[in-house]
Amino acid sequence: MLKSLRLENFKSFKNAELSLGDLTVLVGTNASGKSNIRDAFRFLHGISRGYSIADIIGGKYEDGVQQWQGIRGGTKEIAYRGANSFAISVSFSVDDGDQKSELEYFIQLGLDTTHNPFPYIKKEHLSCNQKTDPIFEASFNLNHPVYPNSSQIHFLDYLEDYTLDIETDEDIYEHSVYDYLANHIPVLAQVAKGAKPYGELDREQFSHSTAKRVCEIALNAINEMRFLDLSPDVMRLPSFAGQNTLGDRGENLSSVMLDICRDQTRKAILLDWLQALTPMDAKDFDFPEDFTGKVLLRIEEASGQKTTAYSASDGTLRFLGLLAALLGNQRSRFYFFEEPENGIHPNRLSLLLQLMEQEVANGSMQIVITTHSPLLLNFLSPASLEYASLMYRIGDRAESRITKIMDIPNAREIVANDGLSSLLDSGWLEDAMYFLEDEEVQNP
């Protein structure tokens, strides 16, 4: 489970930390930094997929087909106000057998394009609270006095007697963990996927080392991330049976729903939620095929009325997309939803939130949502309220900041009496942070 995300000079954040719970809610005005949080998670997800830094930021293509969309703004806008480096770190708890551990992964990128045409990995490390020393530490120095482009990598198993400086010569580190020097592939991904240091280390011993095992655990923690931005027009399209992964835009909705409905128990759960979330008296789903063999979702009501995905309302399709994501057979461990209330009637928001909190309750899934809906905030459970955070900027400053809403002075008492929606609707949250900062300036 992810516990926190820390950003240094990343996009609009100079120095900020986000605490994460089972359900984390982000609020704030437009341009306050909520989408930049999404970009930070996407950056980490790109690392988990084994992509190079160039691919993560600029986009990944294979055989002319885009596999990954790059980070918004590219290299020119990824660092805070033109800074020459930025860093992202994430901490998470893991169950490793009978033992629970806390891990922290840190990566810093340099942006000195005078010496290097693209961002490069400057520092990287993985640490564990069960170990005194880091699992690994890596650094890349463009200005090393002996080797102009050199690396130092320390691994836990060999910290006392093994440190390596190497020149960036492909003959030296070919097929090794040091590929990241040429391709800018993070050490975390290289080691987790079996790369071994070139040189004196025993390869068989290293393949079973603590470093590889813990790197695998860390990589898995950031691997199963989904960033849904559902499009009703995309969800209306038929798909082939067997395409059982819902795309980020809602691709394959029909075949994902067909896969869920093969299990009568899960089908009944879907129908119950659809009846609760919409005025449709849905009693069944069926999936007629077109002349190409693609299936199309169709909803049958108790009256006999049948409605296909082609004519279903946008709100109904967004409901179905969320249901398919959260209840489907190919669920992820981490979802990021931007403004899930869009297209959904206000009196159904409590049910939508109930579904999310129900699915994260067993600890197998985390959800982060951004919202502009004051009403939705009133339905948050006490546990979720503790992880509701405000993204804000003070005046015309470029820096985005983060604070837990319940940590704002007097917020807890006001929420208990009037609900959180009143604070968001009135602008009280931003005003409170403005006055608090003003007090800090006057009374340093």
Side-chain angles (χ1 to χ4, degrees):
M1 176 178 174
L2 304 188
K3 305 293 287 185
S4 68
L5 175 75
R6 185 163 188 82
L7 306 174
E8 299 175 25
N9 289 333
F10 181 79
K11 306 210 86 170
S12 62
F13 294 97
K14 184 178 181 180
N15 194 336
E17 183 171 354
L18 174 67
S19 295
L20 299 164
D22 293 335
L23 176 64
T24 304
V25 180
L26 310 181
V27 302
T29 62
N30 291 330
S32 61
K34 299 188 298 297
S35 294
N36 292 339
I37 296 292
R38 179 181 185 270
D39 286 338
F41 282 121
R42 288 194 70 244
F43 188 94
L44 292 169
H45 188 218
I47 291 175
S48 77
R49 297 176 73 159
Y51 293 159
S52 69
I53 297 301
D55 288 337
I56 294 170
I57 297 176
K60 172 73 172 177
Y61 291 81
E62 292 182 6
D63 298 325
V65 178
Q66 188 175 38
Q67 305 295 319
W68 170 267
Q69 185 175 358
I71 304 299
R72 295 174 308 127
T75 57
K76 294 294 185 182
E77 299 181 47
I78 198 166
Y80 176 74
R81 304 193 71 179
N84 60 12
S85 69
F86 71 87
I88 298 176
S89 60
V90 61
S91 65
F92 38 88
S93 60
V94 294
D95 289 324
D96 185 16
D98 296 330
Q99 183 172 277
K100 289 187 177 181
S101 301
E102 299 285 335
L103 301 179
E104 181 179 37
Y105 172 66
F106 171 91
I107 184 167
Q108 181 184 33
L109 267 65
L111 299 168
D112 183 5
T113 55
T114 301
H115 297 86
N116 199 57
F118 204 83
Y120 63 95
I121 299 169
K122 193 172 182 178
K123 293 181 180 179
E124 187 182 359
H125 70 250
L126 177 66
S127 58
C128 175
N129 68 334
Q130 303 290 340
K131 305 291 182 181
T132 303
D133 296 312
I135 303 302
F136 75 80
E137 283 184 308
S139 62
F140 180 45
N141 185 2
L142 288 175
N143 301 306
H144 192 284
V146 178
Y147 304 118
N149 295 325
S150 69
S151 75
Q152 279 195 325
I153 300 180
H154 304 258
F155 289 101
L156 176 66
D157 291 1
Y158 309 99
L159 276 173
E160 295 181 358
D161 57 9
Y162 189 83
T163 303
L164 181 66
D165 287 312
I166 59 170
E167 294 183 74
T168 53
D169 182 331
E170 291 188 7
D171 291 334
I172 295 178
Y173 57 78
E174 185 178 6
H175 306 307
S176 76
V177 71
Y178 303 116
D179 284 346
Y180 91 104
L181 291 176
N183 300 317
H184 305 290
I185 296 174
V187 172
L188 178 70
Q190 291 286 317
V191 176
K193 295 182 178 181
K196 307 174 182 67
Y198 186 92
E200 301 173 0
L201 299 185
D202 180 85
R203 290 172 177 265
E204 187 63 28
Q205 181 183 7
F206 182 81
S207 68
H208 299 291
S209 71
T210 301
K212 181 177 184 297
R213 180 174 59 83
V214 180
C215 284
E216 286 175 341
I217 293 171
L219 204 69
N220 287 336
I222 57 175
N223 184 40
E224 290 190 33
M225 289 184 171
R226 297 293 307 279
F227 305 87
L228 296 190
D229 183 15
L230 299 173
S231 167
D233 287 340
V234 171
M235 290 188 283
R236 289 188 171 95
L237 300 177
S239 52
F240 288 108
Q243 293 180 306
N244 298 332
T245 300
L246 187 74
D248 287 348
R249 301 280 288 166
E251 298 91 341
N252 306 325
L253 175 64
S254 292
S255 50
V256 170
M257 293 290 288
L258 171 60
D259 184 54
I260 296 173
C261 289
R262 296 185 194 280
D263 183 322
Q264 292 301 311
T265 300
R266 299 184 72 79
K267 178 179 178 180
I269 294 172
L270 275 177
L271 287 168
D272 286 344
W273 276 109
L274 185 60
Q275 290 170 359
L277 293 168
T278 74
M280 301 179 74
D281 187 15
K283 74 167 189 178
D284 202 1
F285 299 106
D286 69 342
F287 302 88
E289 292 187 4
D290 66 11
F291 69 96
T292 67
K294 292 182 177 179
V295 298
L296 180 66
L297 169 66
R298 187 164 61 183
I299 305 166
E300 182 178 353
E301 298 187 55
S303 65
Q305 172 70 28
K306 293 186 177 182
T307 304
T308 67
Y310 286 131
S311 59
S313 70
D314 288 1
T316 297
L317 289 173
R318 288 182 64 83
F319 273 136
L320 290 173
L322 290 169
L323 289 170
L326 299 179
L327 303 175
N329 296 318
Q330 303 293 330
R331 290 181 292 176
S332 290
R333 287 199 295 245
F334 182 97
Y335 283 100
F336 194 106
F337 296 118
E338 291 200 82
E339 301 175 24
E341 70 271 13
N342 284 346
I344 295 176
H345 196 279
N347 66 12
R348 297 296 194 271
L349 290 179
S350 62
L351 295 172
L352 176 62
L353 204 56
Q354 179 185 337
L355 171 63
M356 290 183 178
E357 292 188 331
Q358 174 181 301
E359 291 306 308
V360 302
N362 62 10
S364 63
M365 179 188 298
Q366 274 184 281
I367 298 175
V368 177
I369 66 172
T370 70
T371 182
H372 288 293
S373 170
L375 184 59
L376 183 143
L377 299 178
N378 272 352
F379 300 129
L380 288 174
S381 68
S384 297
L385 273 172
E386 296 299 325
Y387 289 95
S389 289
L390 173 69
M391 315 278 115
Y392 67 97
R393 294 184 180 184
I394 299 298
D396 58 356
R397 299 178 190 176
E399 179 186 354
S400 295
R401 298 187 177 186
I402 305 172
T403 186
K404 279 186 174 182
I405 291 174
M406 289 305 189
D407 288 345
I408 301 174
N410 302 320
R412 194 174 293 274
E413 293 78 9
I414 298 174
V415 168
N417 294 327
D418 302 323
L420 183 52
S421 65
S422 64
L423 302 188
L424 181 65
D425 213 15
S426 65
W428 184 90
L429 296 171
E430 287 82 4
D431 289 344
M433 300 315 300
Y434 177 85
F435 287 117
L436 284 172
E437 171 134 334
D438 192 45
E439 287 181 4
E440 290 177 5
V441 172
Q442 295 181 26
N443 304 292

